Amino acid sequence: MIIDLPDTTVSQVAKQLVSVREEGGAVALGRVLTLVIAARNGVAEAAIDAANDASREHPMRVIVLTTGEGEAHLDAQIRVGGDAGASEVVVLRAYGDAASNAESLVTGLLLPDAPVVAWWPEEAPTDPASSPLGRIAQRRITDAATSPDVRDRLALLGRTHSPGDTDLAWTRLTHWREQLAAVLDQPPYEPVTRVEVRGAAASPSTALLAGWLGLALDVPVHWAYEDPAHWSEGIKSVRLTRPSGDILLERPVPGSAVLTQPGQPDHDLHLPRRTLRECLAEELRRLDADVLYGRVITEGWEKLGPPETAA
């Protein structure tokens, strides 16, 4: 069910939500959090779709805020039932001066006594934690992959990092980190003496994986961007050098990887690029600060030198 509320106020939207709930269209008591999405119109629907999918694991209220130029007014839309997954979605489209105070537009619609997560699917504030929406959120989700210069964006995220910040470029690394940790947890238990990471120039995950390995293994990390003609999607390969030989985890084509280890047959692995829904659902599973990400985006990034030129 979709309810349109043109030229409205936050108070009227809140009253309509109560009315919908009383009529049995939605039950707010089962919601575990409020997800606030700040997005422009072009990406808002994709973000809503991902939130609706994630809501089946995390029932929530989703508040979507988009802003635009023009005469000051607020249009709203409430989606419940089949149009909102296991959540209730409130879309706020603020124009002109009505968009000048994002915090006031959102606070009247937050679920009482429930955690707040702020998500910027595309362009994020310079300092998410001190932004109007970031100040009311326990967790703040950004995506460095949407920046035109991923290295500058990662450096900025490191300088402005506050506990509770996270980035989907880090979340996309979960399966890579699991595979590498599993390999190193098997004999022979030899120290890693060298690390090499390669990936696409548009992939901030490449740098974050290199930073994580440098911190975890306490060794210098060599990382390089692949020629776009040969690789243009995410991470390409990780090579770990030990006295008995190299461990190579390589993705020859998107979606599939090959694990090569000394004295063992090659293993074919399913390693696809994670979907937006998967990454969002993972981030919503924890509402405390991601301490490891904080170390990687600050300490790991500071230790990481510039990328090398791929051969």
Side-chain angles (χ1 to χ4, degrees):
M1 178 172 64
I2 297 178
I3 302 170
D4 289 310
L5 301 170
D7 198 11
T8 187
T9 65
V10 172
S11 176
Q12 290 172 339
V13 175
K15 290 178 180 178
Q16 185 64 53
L17 279 170
V18 173
S19 175
V20 169
R21 192 179 313 132
E22 290 176 346
E23 292 172 4
V27 180
L29 296 179
R31 312 301 183 207
V32 298
L33 61 90
T34 302
L35 176 65
V36 181
I37 304 174
R40 57 187 180 85
N41 285 324
V43 298
E45 287 301 326
I48 293 172
D49 288 343
N52 286 347
D53 284 344
S55 72
R56 292 174 171 83
E57 182 178 341
H58 312 280
M60 56 187 162
R61 174 173 291 174
V62 179
I63 303 173
V64 184
L65 177 61
T66 68
T67 59
E69 301 295 330
E71 184 179 349
H73 72 282
L74 175 68
D75 294 335
Q77 187 180 80
I78 297 173
R79 305 180 188 181
V80 294
D83 295 294
S87 64
E88 51 190 7
V89 178
V90 181
V91 182
L92 303 177
R93 297 184 177 91
Y95 299 89
D97 290 342
S100 62
N101 192 332
E103 186 175 353
S104 67
L105 288 171
V106 167
T107 50
L109 301 173
L110 300 178
L111 291 174
D113 302 320
V116 178
V117 179
W119 176 29
W120 295 270
E122 196 175 47
E123 185 176 351
T126 300
D127 184 351
S130 65
S131 68
L133 296 181
R135 287 194 297 265
I136 62 175
Q138 284 75 44
R139 291 295 305 275
R140 295 164 294 275
I141 304 173
T142 55
D143 191 352
T146 62
S147 173
D149 191 322
V150 296
R151 294 200 69 225
D152 284 351
R153 184 60 193 170
L154 288 176
L156 180 61
L157 288 173
R159 290 195 302 270
T160 62
H161 177 76
S162 294
D165 291 354
T166 193
D167 194 274
L168 295 184
W170 169 251
T171 322
R172 295 186 186 103
L173 290 177
T174 297
H175 294 332
W176 280 88
R177 294 193 293 122
E178 289 173 344
Q179 291 291 343
L180 293 169
V183 169
L184 294 176
D185 201 32
Q186 301 172 7
Y189 302 106
E190 299 174 327
V192 174
T193 58
R194 187 179 189 276
V195 174
E196 179 185 273
V197 180
R198 292 172 179 255
S203 167
S205 297
T206 301
L208 290 176
L209 183 60
W212 172 69
L213 287 167
L215 278 178
L217 302 175
D218 194 24
V219 294
V221 177
H222 305 267
W223 65 297
Y225 288 137
E226 290 283 337
D227 185 336
H230 299 103
W231 191 258
S232 60
E233 180 182 309
I235 298 164
K236 171 69 171 177
S237 65
V238 177
R239 184 183 298 273
L240 307 178
T241 300
R242 299 193 296 189
S244 61
D246 289 358
I247 298 169
L248 176 63
L249 180 59
E250 183 176 26
R251 211 161 33 177
V253 295
S256 300
V258 178
L259 176 63
T260 304
Q261 302 178 79
Q264 296 189 30
D266 291 352
H267 295 280
D268 294 326
L269 304 172
H270 183 56
L271 199 61
R273 184 174 176 84
R274 302 189 73 195
T275 67
L276 185 60
R277 182 265 169 203
E278 291 174 323
C279 292
L280 180 62
E282 178 178 327
E283 286 302 332
L284 296 179
R285 287 183 199 126
R286 59 178 305 164
L287 296 175
D288 57 331
D290 188 337
V291 177
L292 181 56
Y293 166 74
R295 290 192 62 207
V296 170
I297 199 64
T298 54
E299 300 173 45
W301 177 256
E302 289 177 357
K303 292 181 179 180
L304 200 64
E308 301 173 359
T309 302

